[in-house]
């Protein structure tokens, strides 16, 4: 085939002299994904197109991809690397040597120049580039011409129908009068009808030909305009991504320099929103600057002013959160030497060194689900329960985005350990969680937001080691209720699997289904997390879903990936197709353009050396005054590990675990003794024994949560009993017992 391409003449135009677009072939390494890295591929450059195959033999039947160079951007990197960007997608290539890399770069640049020049001269109109106003006027003129031609076609269609019916009647009459004296007149009438039908048909054909000529004469112009719009959209996406990175950098810089500048918090009386049409804006006072440029750190900080109901201007300080932690030490440890005797066991019962942990507890990881709490803020403002369901579904997926590079396990919390996250000033919510059970490990979590929602969950972790992989199955439901509508959503988590335990690079996958139910309206959404497969052609980490009302009618299609983004598309029509599994018919949905629901924030700089923590995760273990003595921030082994002192952290971890075992044995012995004394005395148990038994029972039960039956779902779960934030305000922790 390539020999045939070489033998063909160069596609030149009259008056245009281009060098021959020679074919260039060879092996290059193409980046595939983080799991496989660079893979060897056979590349062929021909006539402005760069195609690649897995092997040379595939050229006869399977092309793995084609890159048009006319609209591609070629960037040369270091150490034999080059990047091709086309249609919003980047191709990272690597040559075997610098000479080979230079040969390909020269060939690609020459092919791009030739293809670009050829494309510019292929347009009969002779326009060098799209001019928006002229294109708009031209498009409107063409559309009017096409509309006129369509009217002609419609008229011809009506005439053909009429003349065809008349011809049919004449033929019927001729059949009835066969052999009579009037047959000659009837034959003449039929000939006239046939002549009219032929004339009308010719007019129809000519109108169709005119329509086709107009469409063909402007097809190149439309293709060029479409390509321009695609490039503009790609440029806009790049600009938005760059702005997001700059915003993230400014926010991190603002957090790193608390003494250099001052941030401002909005009033508690209302929420700043782009959708608030009634928002008032005030000019800055002459004696108060509205913008401050911090020259010491080179960062920009914006000061905003708000007014309370009395009309007085206020400026409130927002606490600066940290944006980095000490780099992770490069400790080497043989995982298989520890895990080989643990196959089939519950990992929560196996003592593991901190080398396999990250410096966060399971309670903090549970709180990290609130990374994208603004999705729930938006959902609280939704009037439609179906649109609200889409945002709730996106929130349930977003909680997994922080796990894509996080293969280390969190610390198992001690019984009675707590963790609070107070973000009222920044995001309007407060979160409290507590370890309510040790075997099996279970945690209760409660979040209240001033922006119209409450979330609570009771999660038990069931983890098993299967030899090549570790599976972690969260058991329990997540509840979410919106204050204004009363909509109560319930869903559970999917299975997390860590692969390549024995050999290779560790990687994590999420798989299973999430069924979200609105118990108030009975709307449902089923999200499917597709497991990774080497042979699958689907996008890795794919998530799909359908939002249905209580009658089972589908209204929205959800799609995306759990590590990057989710979109929703409104369904406008549906039909039954074929090709379903097990003889079932597939439902084919026709939708509007999808809308972005959620997009992952970029990771902070140097995240690969900070356990791949997100901006929120970096602040979770930050020391804070006034927290309960059982708070995870005060756990010594976790604090030492974060500081990079892993040997000392392992020592503290063993001390805490041994202390917890001894404390549990002591409490069990005291409980048994109290039970025996109660059986001996039966009816004459004194008050001292009552107090002893009640104290033991109280110390074994959670302090801030109590187990009750959920009225909506009928399940037994832990509910927040209240009192934590009041105790913090009073700094009265007399009910908390020492666990560290």
């Amino acid at each position: 085939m390539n020999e045939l391409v070489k033998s063909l003449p160069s596609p030149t135009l009259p008056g245009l002299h281009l060098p021959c677009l020679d074919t260039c072939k060879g092996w290059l390494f193409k980046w595939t994904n983080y799991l496989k890295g660079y893979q060897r591929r056979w590349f062929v450059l021909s006539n402005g197109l760069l195609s690649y195959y897995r092997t040379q033999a595939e050229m006869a039947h399977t092309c793995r991809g084609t890159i048009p160079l006319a609209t591609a951007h070629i960037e040369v990197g270091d150490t034999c690397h080059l990047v091709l960007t086309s249609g919003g997608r980047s191709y990272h290539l690597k040559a075997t040597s610098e000479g080979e890399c230079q040969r390909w770069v020269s060939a690609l640049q020459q092919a791009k120049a030739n293809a670009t020049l050829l494309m510019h001269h292929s347009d009969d109109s002779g326009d060098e580039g799209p001019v928006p106003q002229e294109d708009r006027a031209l498009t409107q003129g063409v559309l009017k011409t096409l509309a006129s031609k369509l009217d002609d076609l419609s008229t011809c269609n009506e005439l053909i129908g009429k003349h065809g019916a008349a011809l049919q009647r004449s033929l019927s009459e001729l059949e009835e009068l066969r052999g009579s004296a009037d047959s000659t007149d009837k034959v003449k009438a039929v000939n006239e009808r046939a002549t009219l039908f032929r004339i009308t048909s010719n007019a129809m054909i000519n109108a169709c030909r005119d329509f086709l000529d107009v469409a063909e004469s402007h097809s190149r112009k439309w293709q060029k305009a479409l390509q321009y719009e695609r490039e503009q959209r790609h440029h806009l996406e790049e600009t938005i991504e760059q702005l997001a990175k700059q915003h993230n950098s400014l926010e991190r810089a603002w957090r790193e320099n608390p003494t250099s500048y001052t941030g401002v918090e909005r009033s508690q009386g209302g929420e700043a929103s782009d959708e608030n049409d009634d928002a008032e804006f005030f000019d800055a006072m002459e004696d108060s600057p509205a913008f401050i440029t911090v020259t010491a750190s080179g960062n920009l900080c914006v000061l905003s002013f708000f007014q309370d109901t009395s009309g007085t201007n206020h400026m409130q300080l927002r606490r600066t959160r940290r944006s980095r932690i000490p780099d992770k030490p490069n400790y080497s440890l043989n995982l298989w030497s520890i895990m080989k005797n643990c196959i089939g066991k519950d990992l929560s019962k196996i003592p593991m060194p901190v080398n396999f942990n990250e410096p966060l507890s399971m309670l903090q990881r549970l709180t990290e689900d609130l990374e994208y709490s603004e999705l729930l803020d938006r959902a609280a403002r939704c009037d439609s329960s179906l649109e609200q369901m889409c945002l709730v579904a996106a929130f349930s997926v977003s909680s997994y985005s922080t796990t894509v590079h996080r293969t280390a396990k969190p610390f198992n919390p001690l019984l009675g350990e707590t963790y609070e996250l107070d973000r009222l000033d920044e995001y309007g919510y407060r979160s409290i969680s507590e370890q309510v059970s040790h075997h099996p490990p279970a945690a209760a979590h409660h979040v209240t937001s001033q922006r119209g929602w409450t979330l609570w969950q009771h999660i038990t972790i069931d983890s098993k080691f299967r030899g090549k992989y570790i599976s972690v199955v969260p058991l329990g439901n997540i509840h979410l209720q919106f204050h204004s509508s009363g909509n109560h959503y319930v869903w559970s988590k999917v299975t997390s699997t860590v692969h390549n335990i024995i050999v290779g690079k560790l990687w994590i996958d999420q798989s299973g289904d999430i069924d979200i139910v609105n118990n108030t309206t009975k709307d449902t959404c089923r999200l499917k997390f597709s497991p990774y497969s080497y042979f699958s052609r689907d996008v890795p980490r794919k998530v799909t879903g359908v939002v249905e009302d209580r009658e089972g009618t589908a209204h929205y299609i959800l799609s995306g990936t759990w590590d990057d983004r989710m979109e929703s598309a409104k369904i406008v029509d549906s039909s039954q197709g074929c090709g379903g599994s097990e003889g079932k018919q597939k439902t084919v949905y026709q939708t509007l353009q999808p809308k972005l629901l959620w997009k992952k924030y970029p990771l902070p700089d140097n995240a690969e050396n900070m356990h791949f923590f997100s901006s929120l995760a970096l602040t979770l273990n930050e020391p804070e005054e006034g927290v309960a003595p059982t708070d995870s921030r005060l756990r010594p082994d976790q604090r030492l590990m974060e500081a990079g002192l892993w040997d000392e952290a392992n020592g503290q971890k063993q001390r805490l675990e041994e202390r917890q075992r001894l404390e549990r044995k002591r409490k069990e012995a005291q409980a048994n003794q109290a039970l025996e004394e109660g059986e001996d005395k039966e009816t004459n148990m004194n008050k001292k024994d009552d107090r002893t038994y009640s104290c033991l029972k109280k110390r074994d039960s959670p302090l801030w949560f109590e187990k009750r039956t959920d009225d909506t779902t009928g399940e037994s779960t832990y509910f927040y009993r209240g009192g934590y934030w009041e105790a913090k305000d009073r700094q009265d922790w007399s009910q908390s017992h020492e666990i560290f």
Side-chain angles (χ1 to χ4, degrees):
M1 178 178 179
N2 294 288
E3 287 73 11
L4 178 61
V5 172
K6 280 188 174 182
S7 64
L8 293 175
S10 177
T12 58
L13 297 173
L16 178 64
H17 303 283
L18 294 176
C20 180
L21 304 181
D22 294 333
T23 299
C24 183
K25 306 176 183 178
W27 291 101
L28 289 173
F29 289 90
K30 176 182 174 292
W31 175 263
T32 54
N33 52 48
Y34 286 101
L35 182 63
K36 301 177 184 178
Y38 281 94
Q39 297 291 320
R40 195 165 178 252
R41 296 290 183 261
W42 179 256
F43 281 80
V44 177
L45 173 61
S46 178
N47 293 331
L49 298 177
L50 180 64
S51 305
Y52 59 92
Y53 313 83
R54 285 188 176 177
T55 61
Q56 292 178 261
E58 277 193 348
M59 293 176 58
H61 54 83
T62 304
C63 178
R64 298 292 171 176
T66 301
I67 308 171
L69 296 178
T71 58
H73 174 68
I74 304 173
E75 182 179 354
V76 182
D78 298 332
T79 62
C80 308
H81 286 74
L82 60 147
V83 181
L84 299 182
T85 304
S86 177
R89 183 177 178 183
S90 296
Y91 300 83
H92 296 262
L93 309 177
K94 182 171 65 174
T96 55
S97 64
E98 293 185 2
E100 183 71 7
C101 179
Q102 186 59 42
R103 183 178 74 88
W104 275 102
V105 170
S106 300
L108 291 172
Q109 290 177 343
Q110 182 63 41
K112 172 180 172 60
N114 293 343
T116 304
L117 189 60
L118 182 64
M119 183 181 67
H120 286 172
H121 284 78
S122 63
D123 194 349
D124 295 337
S125 65
D127 293 338
E128 292 297 328
V131 180
Q133 294 182 352
E134 295 179 1
D135 281 351
R136 191 179 299 112
L138 178 61
T139 302
Q140 292 176 353
V142 172
L143 289 176
K144 289 182 179 179
T145 304
L146 292 178
S148 175
K149 294 299 180 182
L150 282 175
D151 291 339
D152 294 344
L153 291 175
S154 178
T155 302
C156 291
N157 180 57
E158 294 177 0
L159 291 175
I160 286 177
K162 293 180 181 179
H163 293 315
L167 179 60
Q168 186 64 42
R169 288 195 302 271
S170 298
L171 290 174
S172 299
E173 293 174 357
L174 182 63
E175 183 69 22
E176 294 174 357
L177 298 175
R178 182 177 298 173
S180 64
D182 297 336
S183 61
T184 302
D185 296 336
K186 293 298 181 182
V187 169
K188 184 177 180 181
V190 169
N191 288 332
E192 292 177 354
R193 300 286 187 186
T195 301
L196 290 174
F197 186 80
R198 177 173 52 82
I199 294 173
T200 307
S201 299
N202 288 335
M204 180 78 169
I205 293 173
N206 292 333
C208 291
R209 186 179 294 111
D210 293 341
F211 186 89
L212 181 61
D213 291 341
V214 172
E216 287 182 346
S217 64
H218 291 83
S219 63
R220 293 192 183 96
K221 172 66 69 177
W222 291 337
Q223 290 174 2
K224 192 173 182 180
L226 179 61
Q227 182 62 34
Y228 172 77
E229 292 299 331
R230 287 175 177 171
E231 292 176 355
Q232 290 295 103
R233 178 180 177 180
H234 175 56
H235 177 69
L236 181 60
E237 290 176 351
E238 289 181 341
T239 303
I240 293 175
E241 183 178 359
Q242 186 67 24
L243 287 175
K245 292 180 179 179
Q246 292 176 0
H247 178 272
N248 192 39
S249 299
L250 287 173
E251 185 176 0
R252 288 198 304 270
W254 179 77
R255 292 173 178 174
E256 290 175 353
N257 296 274
T259 60
S260 299
Y261 46 84
T262 305
V264 174
E265 180 62 15
R266 55 181 170 270
S267 63
Q268 296 181 357
E271 177 187 347
S273 172
D274 295 336
E275 301 174 2
N276 188 2
D277 296 331
D278 299 328
E280 299 182 13
F281 298 90
F282 302 92
D283 295 331
M285 295 178 293
E286 294 181 0
D287 57 346
S288 299
F291 299 93
I292 296 178
T293 303
V294 183
T295 57
S297 60
N299 298 319
L300 182 66
C301 175
V302 179
L303 288 183
S304 303
F305 293 90
F306 63 89
Q307 291 189 346
D308 59 12
T309 55
S310 62
T312 305
N313 288 308
H314 287 274
M315 184 173 66
Q316 184 176 349
L317 302 181
R318 177 185 292 179
R319 173 177 173 176
T320 301
R321 307 286 178 182
R322 68 180 184 182
S323 60
R324 65 170 295 106
I325 60 176
D327 288 354
K328 175 183 177 182
N330 187 18
Y331 279 90
S332 61
L333 188 67
N334 187 356
L335 178 63
W336 178 244
S337 65
I338 298 175
M339 302 294 294
K340 62 183 179 181
N341 298 321
C342 305
I343 297 177
K345 296 182 180 179
D346 187 349
L347 293 183
S348 63
K349 299 180 180 181
I350 302 171
M352 302 283 287
V354 300
N355 303 55
F356 301 131
N357 288 11
E358 61 180 16
L360 290 178
S361 73
M362 188 62 204
L363 299 179
Q364 291 166 314
R365 283 290 293 268
L366 204 61
T367 308
E368 201 175 342
D369 290 354
L370 302 173
E371 175 94 21
Y372 298 94
S373 62
E374 67 270 13
L375 289 172
L376 301 184
D377 298 341
R378 289 166 53 193
R381 300 193 296 268
C382 281
D383 296 328
S384 168
S385 62
L386 295 171
E387 294 179 3
Q388 191 177 74
M389 174 69 83
C390 293
L391 290 169
V392 172
F395 174 79
S396 69
V397 175
S398 69
S399 62
Y400 298 96
S401 63
T402 61
T403 67
V404 63
H405 302 298
R406 306 260 292 275
T407 55
K409 64 180 291 291
F411 280 78
N412 292 330
L414 303 178
L415 183 62
E417 185 175 331
T418 61
Y419 179 73
E420 69 158 76
L421 187 68
D422 189 346
R423 292 292 190 268
L424 278 180
D425 294 338
E426 294 94 335
Y427 305 111
Y429 66 79
R430 273 179 169 178
S431 166
I432 176 65
S433 54
E434 182 179 4
Q435 188 75 358
V436 296
S437 173
H438 186 61
H439 288 303
H445 184 209
H446 184 270
V447 190
T448 301
S449 173
Q450 294 179 338
R451 300 178 184 177
W453 54 269
T454 300
L455 182 145
W456 67 96
Q457 56 181 321
H458 168 217
I459 300 296
T460 302
I461 301 297
D462 181 19
S463 55
K464 297 292 184 182
F465 176 48
R466 304 299 184 184
K468 293 183 179 180
Y469 62 89
I470 295 174
S471 62
V472 180
V473 183
L475 306 176
N477 290 328
I478 304 172
H479 297 255
L480 172 66
Q481 188 167 24
F482 292 99
H483 302 166
S484 60
S485 64
N487 288 337
H488 182 182
Y489 296 86
V490 182
W491 71 92
S492 58
K493 290 179 174 287
V494 297
T495 300
S496 301
T497 307
V498 182
H499 295 270
N500 289 351
I501 299 299
I502 300 177
V503 64
K505 182 180 179 181
L506 294 176
W507 61 280
I508 193 169
D509 192 25
Q510 314 288 350
S511 60
D513 296 336
I514 292 181
D515 292 323
I516 307 176
V517 179
N518 184 344
N519 288 322
T520 305
T521 64
K522 305 305 178 184
D523 300 335
T524 60
C525 174
R526 164 160 285 194
L527 294 172
K528 180 178 179 57
F529 288 64
S530 301
Y532 175 81
S533 174
Y534 177 81
F535 302 99
S536 176
R537 295 184 178 181
D538 289 337
V539 178
R541 310 179 186 97
K542 181 180 179 181
V543 180
T544 55
V546 179
V547 175
E548 299 178 344
D549 59 20
R550 64 188 309 159
E551 284 80 20
T553 303
H555 291 268
Y556 288 92
I557 294 292
L558 305 181
S559 61
T561 58
W562 55 262
D563 68 322
D564 184 49
R565 63 194 294 148
M566 285 296 293
E567 296 177 339
S568 67
K570 186 175 178 60
I571 298 174
V572 295
D573 192 17
S574 62
S575 60
Q576 295 296 324
C578 58
S581 59
E582 301 179 358
K584 298 180 180 179
Q585 288 185 329
K586 287 185 177 179
T587 303
V588 180
Y589 296 110
Q590 181 180 353
T591 66
L592 301 177
Q593 287 293 328
K595 295 182 179 180
L596 182 66
L597 294 174
W598 159 74
K599 182 76 170 64
K600 180 185 176 182
Y601 298 145
L603 288 175
D605 294 337
N606 196 39
E608 63 276 7
N609 295 321
M610 298 186 296
H611 308 274
F612 286 100
F613 281 178
S614 64
S615 298
L616 175 62
L618 288 173
T619 68
L620 293 180
N621 204 44
E622 184 178 7
E624 187 166 333
E625 296 180 357
V627 298
T630 55
D631 197 273
S632 299
R633 298 175 179 89
L634 304 177
R635 182 166 174 164
D637 53 350
Q638 185 174 301
R639 179 65 58 194
L640 289 169
M641 184 198 174
E642 182 184 275
L645 305 174
W646 286 16
D647 293 335
E648 294 83 347
N650 275 314
Q652 286 290 333
K653 185 173 185 293
Q654 293 176 6
R655 180 186 66 83
L656 291 175
E657 291 173 347
E658 182 62 26
R659 177 179 176 178
Q660 184 173 237
R661 283 191 289 268
L662 294 176
E663 179 69 13
R664 184 171 184 83
K665 290 179 181 179
R666 186 181 66 83
K667 288 192 294 185
E668 289 176 353
Q670 290 179 352
N672 291 332
Q673 182 181 358
L675 183 61
E676 291 174 359
E677 292 178 357
E679 290 176 351
D680 292 339
K681 296 182 180 181
E682 293 182 354
T683 58
N684 296 322
M685 179 180 289
N686 57 38
K687 294 182 179 180
K688 180 179 179 181
D689 293 327
D690 282 335
R691 288 195 299 268
T692 302
Y693 186 76
S694 299
C695 181
L696 290 171
K697 184 177 180 181
K698 183 177 181 181
R699 293 192 66 177
D700 281 337
S701 62
L703 183 59
W704 308 110
F705 290 83
E706 59 182 357
K707 198 169 188 178
R708 302 199 310 264
T709 300
D710 189 289
D711 297 334
T712 304
T713 62
E715 65 177 356
S716 180
T717 186
Y718 282 88
F719 289 87
Y720 176 57
R721 71 170 79 228
Y724 178 87
W725 302 108
E726 292 78 6
K728 182 182 179 182
D729 293 338
R730 299 190 308 268
Q731 282 299 293
D732 179 13
W733 304 114
S734 57
Q735 299 182 69
S736 301
H737 53 277
E738 182 67 30
I739 62 173
F740 299 138

